[in-house]
Amino acid sequence: MKEIFLCKYGEIALKGANRASFEALLCRELKYRLSGIGSFDIIRAQSTIRIEPREDYDAAVLDAAYRVASMTFGIIAICRCGVAEKNFDDIKAKAVEYLADALGAARTFKVETKRADKTFPMDSGEVSAQLGAAILSAFPHLRVNVHTPDVVVKCEIRERAAYISAGQEKAAGGMPVGSNGKGMLLLSGGIDSPVAGYMMAKRGVKLEAVYFEAFPYTSIQAREKVIELARIVSAWAGSIKLHVVSVTKIQEELSRACCEDYFTLLLRRYMMAIAEKIALANECGALITGESMGQVASQTMQALAVTDNAVDMPVFRPCIGLDKEEIVTIARKVGSFETSILPYEDCCTVFTPRHPKTRPEIPTVIAEEQKLDFDALVEEALATDEVIYVKAEFTV
């Protein structure tokens, strides 16, 4: 029996005159993501995208395609559907056949019908009642429960066919990646920054990323960890262009010339300035960080003001109001948590001050910064920029 996926979208339906461009972007993203799995037609109609396999694929291929589609930003809900002809006898027969496993294991059910094609001779109530009777006849152990059923049988009668499913599941939601510009993610090896990237990608931002390393104080394993985190995020956000920049010289010069208490703040200002230059060169409209208010000394309100002062570009902090438990919950959903907690250091843990300033004043920080040639050190770091293309792996 032919099986397809119906994908519903939420916010896109509210886009008015711009809606078609959002739909087209979402369809292109789905086509790209599914191309590594198999050959599928992507068809949009009536606030729904229909994914139809062009070949008779086995369950493993269809399972992979379903998983990838459900992780595509812009899709709010998804369901697997059996396809029936637009006559009630075939709808009954296909519903009993396609839903045999789900209904056989259930105790209660109800039927919901959506008649998008108003030329169909039965109204939604009639279809639901008669389809429910047919199911009770085929599965006499079942009982109808309209409030808390084990299975919700959905019948959608559309322009080309009728689609039968055992309900829909929640999908990624959000907006299609690329619909709201491009941002530069400051990606560390921690828990927070991959979550920040995921959250901004969900709002339609295409990601590039920059990772600051301090070899030999940080290890090759630390770099590999960050590349893996970029790969994990790319499963949601699409391919990521990752910039790897050395800040070893900057850290050594800060340690030599500046007050230890300001070391982390000064390093953060260098990192922001470097990230901004890379972002501007790559047509990014904002920086993205994983900072959460008050989580560490460099993330107090005053400290964040000091780091923002180093750049002119907007800085997005989607985790700013989340506590650690909330961030960890999202990291587990993204799939990044187990990699993030691997015990490899990042550059911010090198030369960590014993008593970092939590209420710094911008003039004092700038005075410390002027002990070094800020612009020259930034340019020297930019010369080390190594680009790694991290491509999402959409395969069976």
Side-chain angles (χ1 to χ4, degrees):
M1 181 175 177
K2 184 177 181 180
E3 183 176 52
I4 62 100
F5 308 143
L6 286 182
C7 304
K8 311 295 178 66
Y9 43 77
E11 291 180 68
I12 294 176
L14 306 176
K15 292 302 177 183
N18 295 323
R19 176 171 163 174
S21 63
F22 284 90
E23 291 176 331
L25 184 60
L26 178 55
C27 288
R28 287 198 299 272
E29 181 70 11
L30 279 169
K31 184 175 181 180
Y32 161 69
R33 292 166 72 91
L34 292 171
S35 62
I37 295 172
S39 181
F40 296 86
D41 287 320
I42 312 295
I43 304 158
R44 54 176 169 155
Q46 299 172 308
S47 298
T48 302
I49 290 178
R50 191 167 66 249
I51 301 174
E52 296 188 358
R54 292 179 179 175
E55 301 177 24
D56 187 16
Y57 292 119
D58 62 21
V61 173
L62 294 178
D63 288 348
Y66 181 85
R67 182 180 67 254
V68 167
S70 70
M71 293 172 64
T72 303
F73 290 130
I75 297 173
I76 194 170
I78 185 171
C79 59
R80 303 175 79 135
C81 302
V83 181
E85 296 177 10
K86 284 169 55 177
N87 68 75
F88 189 68
D89 287 339
D90 196 52
I91 290 172
K92 286 192 301 182
K94 293 292 175 59
V96 169
E97 176 189 352
Y98 183 67
L99 302 177
D101 290 343
L103 293 173
R107 293 179 298 174
T108 60
F109 80 106
K110 74 172 180 178
V111 178
E112 294 180 352
T113 301
K114 180 179 180 180
R115 189 179 63 134
D117 181 0
K118 302 305 181 185
T119 66
F120 192 76
M122 301 167 65
D123 65 27
S124 297
E126 290 176 309
V127 173
S128 292
Q130 294 192 35
L131 184 54
I135 289 171
L136 285 171
S137 177
F139 303 93
H141 71 283
L142 287 174
R143 295 291 181 268
V144 174
N145 182 337
V146 297
H147 300 295
T148 56
D150 296 331
V151 174
V152 178
V153 175
K154 288 185 175 288
C155 176
E156 297 198 28
I157 302 170
R158 293 180 170 267
E159 73 284 355
R160 291 178 56 183
Y163 304 102
I164 310 296
S165 72
Q168 63 188 22
E169 295 183 359
K170 187 176 180 180
M175 299 293 293
V177 171
S179 61
N180 280 315
K182 187 161 64 168
M184 180 64 65
L185 172 66
L186 278 71
L187 183 62
S188 72
I191 298 171
D192 304 339
S193 58
V195 170
Y198 162 86
M199 292 174 72
M200 293 310 302
K202 185 174 182 178
R203 299 310 308 151
V205 175
K206 175 65 177 172
L207 299 180
E208 286 201 23
V210 55
Y211 164 60
F212 296 99
E213 66 177 3
F215 188 81
Y217 304 107
T218 57
S219 64
I220 295 298
Q221 290 90 339
R223 172 196 277 230
E224 294 300 320
K225 173 184 173 180
V226 170
I227 294 172
E228 175 62 13
L229 287 172
R231 187 195 64 76
I232 292 168
V233 174
S234 74
W236 301 87
S239 304
I240 294 175
K241 184 180 176 183
L242 175 64
H243 301 262
V244 179
V245 175
S246 173
V247 290
T248 302
K249 178 67 176 297
I250 292 172
Q251 290 188 289
E252 290 174 341
E253 288 297 299
L254 288 173
S255 180
R256 178 187 62 79
C258 299
C259 175
E260 178 187 342
D261 294 354
Y262 292 96
F263 181 86
T264 301
L265 289 168
L266 292 168
L267 176 61
R268 292 291 297 173
R269 286 174 59 85
Y270 274 101
M271 291 164 65
M272 297 291 276
I274 294 165
E276 181 181 48
K277 287 185 176 295
I278 297 174
L280 290 170
N282 288 274
E283 300 181 331
C284 295
L287 303 180
I288 303 165
T289 77
E291 291 156 319
S292 170
M293 179 65 72
Q295 184 170 229
V296 296
S298 64
Q299 295 176 19
T300 64
M301 188 176 294
Q302 295 88 340
L304 294 176
V306 165
T307 55
D308 281 359
N309 176 259
V311 296
D312 296 320
M313 183 173 283
V315 181
F316 295 156
R317 295 182 171 96
C319 300
I320 194 71
L322 302 182
D323 62 31
K324 200 64 176 185
E325 184 176 348
E326 291 169 317
I327 295 171
V328 166
T329 297
I330 299 172
R332 291 187 186 278
K333 175 182 177 180
V334 174
S336 59
F337 178 73
E338 295 299 331
T339 300
S340 290
I341 62 174
L342 292 173
Y344 302 122
E345 68 291 323
D346 64 45
C347 68
C348 290
T349 63
V350 180
F351 306 114
T352 303
R354 290 166 292 180
H355 304 290
K357 290 290 184 182
T358 59
R359 297 178 182 272
E361 296 179 353
I362 291 175
T364 306
V365 174
I366 291 177
E368 285 294 318
E369 189 174 84
Q370 289 175 345
K371 293 178 180 179
L372 299 171
D373 189 336
F374 185 89
D375 292 337
L377 286 171
V378 167
E379 291 302 320
E380 190 172 343
L382 285 168
T384 70
D385 184 9
E386 176 187 350
V387 174
I388 300 172
Y389 291 92
V390 181
K391 189 173 182 180
E393 297 177 3
F394 304 123
T395 57
V396 179

